[in-house]
Amino acid sequence: MKKYVMMLFAAMFASATLMAKDIKVLVVKTTPEMHCNSCETKIKNNIRFVSGVKKVDTNLETKQVTISYDPEKTNAQTITAAFKKIGYETETVSDKAQEKSGKSGDAPADKK
């Protein structure tokens, strides 16, 4: 019985790993700059509803917004258009695939 349970667990783990979707991470700076909690709230409450967006993180210190998204459902251009709808222009700091380990890869990237 123990072997059966262990094999079942291993099979479930393997299938979950194979079915994991690739997630991309877009890091942007906004114009006008995000400078207060109200700006953070406005961005988070609007960008999270873009189809395919999985997570929106803001950082007032660096004035950056980090968006994790499913590239099969949306892209950086669609997200940028959503920012424009709420009155922000964006400058891309980074747009890359998230590592499979779940880390977002916050290393500095070349500006475009």
Side-chain angles (χ1 to χ4, degrees), residues 10-99:
M12 287 178 17
F13 180 75
S15 67
T17 303
L18 292 174
M19 293 177 19
K21 287 189 172 193
D22 289 332
I23 299 295
K24 289 193 77 174
V25 177
L26 174 67
V27 181
V28 298
K29 286 193 172 202
T30 62
T31 304
E33 281 190 339
M34 176 180 60
H35 64 280
C36 65
N37 289 334
S38 182
C39 295
E40 279 186 308
T41 302
K42 180 178 181 180
I43 289 169
K44 285 181 177 181
N45 286 342
N46 287 281
I47 302 304
R48 70 184 173 138
F49 289 111
V50 173
S51 177
V53 169
K54 301 296 181 191
K55 186 176 179 185
V56 179
D57 289 317
T58 54
N59 185 325
L60 279 176
E61 189 176 306
T62 62
K63 303 197 183 313
Q64 293 182 346
V65 182
T66 304
I67 304 111
S68 300
Y69 67 96
D70 181 349
E72 293 179 6
K73 294 183 179 179
T74 194
N75 56 43
Q77 292 81 14
T78 302
I79 295 169
T80 298
F83 272 96
K84 285 184 182 183
K85 285 182 182 179
I86 59 171
Y88 289 96
E89 295 291 324
T90 60
E91 175 187 350
T92 301
V93 176
S94 172
D95 185 13
K96 58 186 172 182
Q98 183 173 350
E99 296 175 11

